[in-house]
Amino acid sequence: MRRLEVALIGAGLIARLHVEAWIGAGASVRVYSDDGRAADLAHEFGVKAVGSLDEALDGADAVDICTPTNSHHEIAMAAIAAGAGVVCEKPLAASVAEAEEIVAAAERAGVRLYPAHDVRYGPAFARLHELVAAGRLGAGAVARFAVSGYHPRPWTGHMSARSGGILTDQMLHGVDLAYWIFGDVVRVHAYYQGEIAAPAPEGTVAVGTALLTHATGALSQIVSRWTATPHPPVRIAFHVSGTGGTVRHDSEWPQEVQVTGDAAGSIGRFGYVGELPFVSEIREFAQAFSGGPEPRLGPRDALAAVRITQAAAESAWTGRAVELPVEEAGLLSHRGQPA
């Protein structure tokens, strides 16, 4: 069987995680970055560095975009034009219009497009999705998702404060989980405090909060923080309640999910198991590009996340809630399958 040919664009921290995962999935990887770091990354992992985007795209089955957000649209459109599938780190694009253009182009060209929303692949979050999808938490769901992380380096992109900052970047993790688990979002009310512009200065502190009303009637609160110190570098937690019980998890705890109420009877607790989310994610993508089943993430998930986070930025900027018609909130069901 022919090896999957992957062009990895970018050479930063996320690119490092992705290249290792692609190699583990059996792919042949070539690396291109316009900042001069591709050669070092390629040498470290024993893969090939190339000198231009065109060279990277030539003959590639898939292109993995691990560059700053404001470059995603140009690279994705070039990859699609070359007939290559696309994997793109979050968010898919800097605006709803650009995201829509990428999704439409991929659909017209018949190429696969997968957003890299790695948090979906964490065992605790996948288990939460299973519980809710199976109806184990009952009705009347109220959820809180919290994401905290150190923001140690300024972005290489220069986006305005109005672009949303943390609301359109880090908050996407919580937004994607809420959308995946509870479905379409019809109303967004958001607020932020602290540094929002990019590039962010060293020691940046910011907090973004959004309340999502889902079409099902579920309510999700998303809280995102950039912290001034790197301890812990990333922390993700959730607390979800319904008429059937409560599920909660915090990545700072010993790695287990705690369940109470009716749902606890046959579930109880389960310890942390599995591999790094990046590894699970890339393996699913590699299998799909090689003719296997579709992964749990698709282009409509990417588009929904951008629409919701952009609505959060608009809400925070104007001080008003933003309504999202269902057909614009997302075109996938909450189980990640075509509607």
Side-chain angles (χ1 to χ4, degrees):
M1 182 176 176
R2 187 177 71 85
R3 292 180 73 188
L4 188 71
E5 292 284 340
V6 175
L8 186 107
I9 314 302
L13 173 61
I14 295 299
R16 176 180 300 275
L17 294 167
H18 279 218
V19 70
E20 187 170 22
W22 283 115
I23 292 169
S28 174
V29 181
R30 65 192 77 160
V31 181
Y32 169 69
S33 179
D34 64 6
D35 61 7
R37 294 189 289 171
D40 289 342
L41 181 63
H43 177 74
E44 179 179 349
F45 287 95
V47 299
K48 179 182 179 182
V50 297
S52 70
L53 180 61
D54 287 342
E55 188 178 356
L57 296 179
D58 185 24
D61 298 305
V63 176
D64 186 355
I65 304 171
C66 297
T67 57
T69 301
N70 58 1
S71 66
H72 289 182
H73 178 264
E74 179 182 358
I75 298 169
M77 296 299 286
I80 293 166
V86 174
V87 170
C88 187
E89 260 299 331
K90 59 89 183 168
L92 178 61
S95 70
V96 172
E98 286 187 350
E100 289 175 338
E101 188 175 357
I102 293 170
V103 170
E107 289 177 347
R108 287 194 303 269
V111 302
R112 292 178 171 86
L113 170 64
Y114 303 133
H117 298 174
D118 63 279
V119 173
R120 281 202 193 190
Y121 290 82
F125 309 110
R127 185 59 170 148
L128 173 62
H129 178 265
E130 292 172 3
L131 290 172
V132 174
R136 300 299 299 274
L137 293 187
V142 177
R144 185 178 189 269
F145 300 92
V147 183
S148 299
Y150 180 47
H151 198 241
R153 295 182 300 276
W155 294 340
T156 53
H158 290 259
M159 301 174 71
S160 70
R162 194 159 189 167
S163 70
I166 195 171
L167 298 171
T168 53
D169 181 73
Q170 190 205 62
M171 183 175 279
L172 186 143
H173 288 304
V175 162
D176 181 62
L177 287 174
Y179 169 73
W180 184 39
I181 292 164
F182 296 114
D184 291 330
V185 173
V186 296
R187 192 171 190 266
V188 180
H189 200 170
Y191 181 74
Y192 68 82
Q193 292 177 296
E195 182 64 48
I196 194 171
E202 200 73 19
T204 284
V205 176
V207 178
T209 303
L211 181 63
L212 312 182
T213 303
H214 298 266
T216 60
L219 294 176
S220 296
Q221 182 192 45
I222 318 295
V223 180
S224 290
R225 295 183 179 92
W226 279 329
T227 61
T229 62
H231 304 293
V234 177
R235 179 185 180 187
I236 305 176
F238 64 72
H239 189 122
V240 182
S241 295
T243 57
T246 296
V247 183
R248 59 194 181 102
H249 168 76
D250 190 318
S251 61
E252 282 200 329
W253 296 345
Q255 296 296 289
E256 61 185 17
V257 172
Q258 300 179 357
V259 185
T260 63
D262 295 342
S266 61
I267 299 167
R269 298 185 179 192
F270 65 96
Y272 179 83
V273 294
E275 57 202 349
L276 287 175
F278 292 101
V279 174
S280 305
E281 176 184 61
I282 294 299
R283 185 175 60 249
E284 275 197 10
F285 296 159
Q287 290 171 344
F289 284 124
S290 299
E294 287 296 298
R296 69 195 72 177
L297 279 156
R300 298 297 169 170
D301 298 284
L303 191 52
V306 173
R307 285 171 170 162
I308 296 166
T309 54
Q310 289 290 323
E314 180 184 346
S315 175
W317 189 259
T318 63
R320 298 189 296 271
V322 175
E323 307 291 333
L324 287 175
V326 171
E327 65 270 18
E328 292 187 2
L331 301 180
L332 284 188
S333 73
H334 68 278
R335 300 191 181 192
Q337 300 297 325

